[in-house]
Amino acid sequence: YPPIHVVGGGLAGSEAAWQIASSGVPVILHEMRGVRGTDAHKTDGLAELVCSNSFRSDDATSNAVGVIHAEMRMAGSLIMAAADRHQVPAGGALAVDRDGFSEAVTKAIHDHPLITVVREEITGLPPRDWDLAIVATGPLTAPSLASAIQAQTGEDSLAFFDAIAPIVYRDSIDMDICWYQSRYDKVGPGGTGKDYINCPMDEAQYNAFVDALIAGDTVGFKEWEGTPYFDGCLPIEVMAERGRETLRHGPMKPMGLTNAHNPTVKAYAVVQLRQDNALGTLYNMVGFQTKLKYGAQAEIFRMIPGLENAEFARLGGLHRNTYINSPTLLDPSLTLKSRPGLRFAGQITGCEGYVESASVGLMAGRFAAAERKGEAILLPPATTALGSLLGHITGGHIVTDEEPGKRSFQPMNINFGLFPELEPGSIVKPEGVKRFRGKDKTIMKRQLIARRALADCAAWLGQTPRFAESA
Ligand code: FAD
């Protein structure tokens, strides 16, 4: 077969190259480090971990990231094999010796007879004579390639920073306090006039909340990131610092909303949450992008009436991060709709984290190899962790916005909110158990989703499912 070109030898590019070569198709992997560095990488090794050495939970029985680990192992992942070999003790998490891990990936890639590594910067879109290519250049994609991607996809299609508002599991919001309503009952495209969940605050609650935001610990920007504040994207705590009334006249304005539980009392301020995925299981806190530390976020945001027991699918952040508007630009097999044969993989597609980036590399590699061999491209089932993440990136994310055309796709870790719901009646109180509370139901639900994911992933890969207690 003619080779498939992979640009970027990070977590995603290394995994994509491995998957392609494992299917018998040659690969040319283009990595610029060695010729040109990034602001975060420190070595020339492939799959360098730029910050933490953790791949997070390895529990495949009830943790979404543990499930994706297990699915990747089933699919013969190089990244997971190297991580397992270089594991260091970290309780239930999979943490690795970062140097040993990167060296193992680098050696495996260099030793594979079907992979050629070229150390060079690719300064434009892959040339047309590379009929099949994968761009996996990550959150710190070199500027000239980023400009070329922007020229191909449009000005608004490539972001250089993410401004992430926290995302909450819908079933952890107290609807005895909150209510559904769009401001002024406005019906936007695809909307119903009830697209938002509203959390009301009285004056004392608002003042305490503003005080907590101002006092909360924040994470600073790295010197090379600059301070990317622009209008409409200020961190919530920066808005709070600008004046006691700023939030009440900004994202927390109470106008156009009537508390369904208490229609005669006007809220002093309102926090709005907007549906974040097509399944309706996740809601994001509108306008709540933040640089608060994670611990501070959970504590402060649970002060909001109705969110006292909120479970966060992800917390907020503001980072340097190059990523494309994948739901609009990519087809379900990660191919750029405007350029057949050109796929994207890794964090640049709008997933978040080492494991997720590698998993998207795994899928892109398998899809490209199938295309090269003239085989059908088999997408992972939506019930798997791989399929759930792919669905989020390539289309599961919805926009129910009052401002049509406003871009709202933000990077996402794998989490249970991305998986389709279980069949009704799946969650049954176990025999002999007296008290079966909300928390017990959540745990059972996660266990059942995890089990279904592993079974469906095994079927997708033509394997027999294995359900080791911790895979
Ligand atoms: P990368 O691993 O960054 O790989 C991209 C590769 O492409 C790089 O090797 C780069 O040199 C190369 N490249 C770029 N442009 C070109 C070009 N034009 N030509 C050739 N090669 C090119 N995730 C976590 O899970 N935990 C963390 O603690 C964490 N901390 C982070 C800290 C920082 C500062 C940043 C920026 C990100 C962090 N992330 C973290 C996210 C993490 O980077 C990604 O999850 C992961 O590395 C992305 O994998 P990737 O393969 O998409 O990109």
Side-chain angles (χ1 to χ4, degrees), residues 6-14 30-33 36-41 43-56 118-124 136-146 222 224-225 319-321 345-349 351-358 413:
V6 177
V7 185
L11 276 296
S14 301
H30 308 260
E31 167 53 54
M32 72 176 182
R33 281 178 295 118
R36 176 186 180 138
T38 79
D39 286 316
H41 292 85
T43 74
D44 294 343
L46 301 178
E48 178 184 333
L49 305 179
V50 288
C51 189
S52 136
N53 66 333
S54 175
F55 281 32
R56 316 198 315 275
V118 183
R119 297 285 180 166
E120 63 177 348
E121 178 186 353
I122 301 301
T123 54
T137 45
L140 305 173
T141 293
S144 46
L145 176 56
K222 304 208 168 54
W224 50 265
E225 287 188 303
H319 308 103
R320 170 85 173 78
N321 189 8
Q347 186 137 323
I348 198 168
T349 63
C351 64
E352 169 78 27
Y354 302 143
V355 177
E356 288 84 344
S357 297
N413 288 119

Side-chain angles (χ1 to χ4, degrees), residues 3-39:
I4 295 174
H5 294 261
V6 177
V7 185
L11 276 296
S14 301
E15 184 66 56
W18 183 256
Q19 293 288 329
I20 296 166
S22 300
S23 78
V25 174
V27 186
I28 301 178
L29 177 60
H30 308 260
E31 167 53 54
M32 72 176 182
R33 281 178 295 118
V35 179
R36 176 186 180 138
T38 79
D39 286 316

Side-chain angles (χ1 to χ4, degrees), residues 109 149 198 240 256 263 295:
I109 293 278
I149 294 169
N198 300 283

Side-chain angles (χ1 to χ4, degrees), residues 391-443:
H392 174 73
I393 292 168
T394 62
H397 176 84
I398 64 155
V399 181
T400 50
D401 213 301
E402 287 170 349
E403 298 157 72
K406 189 176 168 221
R407 190 196 150 119
S408 62
F409 176 62
Q410 289 292 346
M412 183 70 104
N413 288 119
I414 186 70
N415 64 75
F416 281 116
L418 299 183
F419 290 72
E421 287 289 353
L422 296 165
E423 293 290 318
S426 304
I427 300 172
V428 183
K429 185 168 106 142
E431 263 180 51
V433 171
K434 275 199 190 139
R435 290 186 63 196
F436 192 55
R437 291 163 302 183
K439 206 166 182 187
D440 302 322
K441 285 186 188 159
T442 303
I443 293 170

Side-chain angles (χ1 to χ4, degrees), residues 52-59 69 86-97:
S52 136
N53 66 333
S54 175
F55 281 32
R56 316 198 315 275
S57 172
D58 202 30
D59 171 12
H69 287 173
H86 293 277
Q87 187 169 4
V88 294
L94 173 59
V96 304
D97 169 329

Side-chain angles (χ1 to χ4, degrees), residues 266-296:
K266 187 89 196 138
Y268 190 75
V270 172
V271 175
Q272 287 203 300
L273 295 101
R274 180 172 50 220
Q275 188 174 334
D276 198 79
N277 64 340
L279 298 169
T281 50
L282 300 174
Y283 275 72
N284 69 66
M285 299 176 67
V286 180
F288 270 57
Q289 57 278 352
T290 178
K291 287 293 278 183
L292 286 169
K293 286 189 173 160
Y294 283 174

